[in-house]
Structure formats: C-alpha cells, structure tokens
Amino acid sequence: MSSYGLALVLAMIACVIGGVLGGLTLVRPGAVLGLTALDDDAGDGDEATPAASARIAGKTEGRALGGLLILSHAAAALFLGYQSHVGAAMAFALAMAWAGAALGRAVSALVDRARGRFNLGSLVFEVMIAVTLSLPFFNPGRLVVLRGHGMLV
C-alpha cells in the first residue's frame, strides 16, 4: 500500500471515530456537553423554569452537534473511498474544524486552570484527529490542489 493509500485509510478511521463521537453526542448530549450537573428534578415538574429551559436547550444543541458530526464524517469517509481527491479536501475541512476545537480547548485550558488535565487530554486527542484527517491532503507527491487525482491503488 502506498503512503497515500495509508493516509486515506487513516483518515477514514478518523472519520469513523468522529462519527462515533457524534453518535454518542446524539444519544447522550448532556454527558458530552457537561450538562449532567443539572438535576432532572430541579424544576419540580414545571418545565418553564430557567434551569429546565437551559437543560432542554443544551440537549437540543447537543443533538444537533451529534447529527452534524455523524453526517459530516460519514460524507468525508464516503468520498475518501470513492473519489479520494474530493474526500481529501472534505477531510481537510474537517481537520480544520477539529483544529479549531483544539484551539478553543487550549484557550479554555489557559483560562480555566482547575480543569487543565481534562482539557489537556482532550486537546491532544483533537490535535491527533486533525492531523490524521489532513494527511491525505498534504501527502508528499499527491497534493490534492496540484494534481487532484488519486485512488487507493
């Protein structure tokens, strides 16, 4: 297998990991977004309280993020397999999104030092996913911008 083929396979694995994280976010949005501290019985049955409204809005946003992660990573993986030059560009766009998440987490780690260890571990994970997703785009000799054609063979 060529280094370009290996880069495509690794990027597809990163897409699967991103899709699984999206599925987890879709199923349990509160746990992923850190909203589990809100007690389900905080509103005493009244769904109009501010805490209940914030909990519902947080879960809605979490599920929207989960759907976004699933479909964006699935589309990139599909194109990485069938039209690798398009898939490499899509994976690079996803890599920039993960790099942006890592940048935001780095700022959060600097501002909120109490949770620095959690932020550091997640930061390393996000950087690794970003680098892995960008591999097909920056593979030496097969730069997508210049040549545009490349398959697994």
Side-chain angles (χ1 to χ4, degrees), residues 104-116 119-120 123:
R105 194 167 301 274
V107 169
S108 175
L110 290 174
V111 172
D112 185 19
R113 298 213 184 250
R115 298 175 70 186
N119 281 333
L120 182 62
L123 174 70

Side-chain angles (χ1 to χ4, degrees), residues 6-68:
L6 180 62
L8 289 175
V9 170
L10 290 175
M12 282 190 237
I13 291 170
C15 284
V16 169
I17 292 170
V20 167
L21 287 174
L24 292 173
T25 306
L26 188 66
V27 173
R28 299 192 56 179
V32 174
L33 296 176
L35 298 175
T36 55
L38 294 174
D39 189 13
D40 287 339
D41 297 329
D44 294 324
D46 183 15
E47 288 297 321
T49 63
S53 296
R55 186 176 64 246
I56 292 170
K59 287 185 177 182
T60 302
E61 293 300 317
R63 288 193 173 103
L65 175 67
L68 179 136

Side-chain angles (χ1 to χ4, degrees), residues 80-145:
L80 280 167
Y82 288 107
Q83 293 182 352
S84 61
H85 57 285
V86 175
M90 291 173 71
F92 183 71
L94 284 176
M96 292 300 99
W98 281 100
L103 179 66
R105 194 167 301 274
V107 169
S108 175
L110 290 174
V111 172
D112 185 19
R113 298 213 184 250
R115 298 175 70 186
R117 186 172 25 187
F118 171 75
N119 281 333
L120 182 62
S122 297
L123 174 70
V124 169
F125 173 77
E126 289 166 351
V127 167
M128 287 176 31
I129 291 290
V131 168
T132 304
L133 284 171
S134 67
L135 286 176
F137 192 80
F138 289 113
N139 194 12
R142 301 292 278 217
L143 199 58
V144 174
V145 175

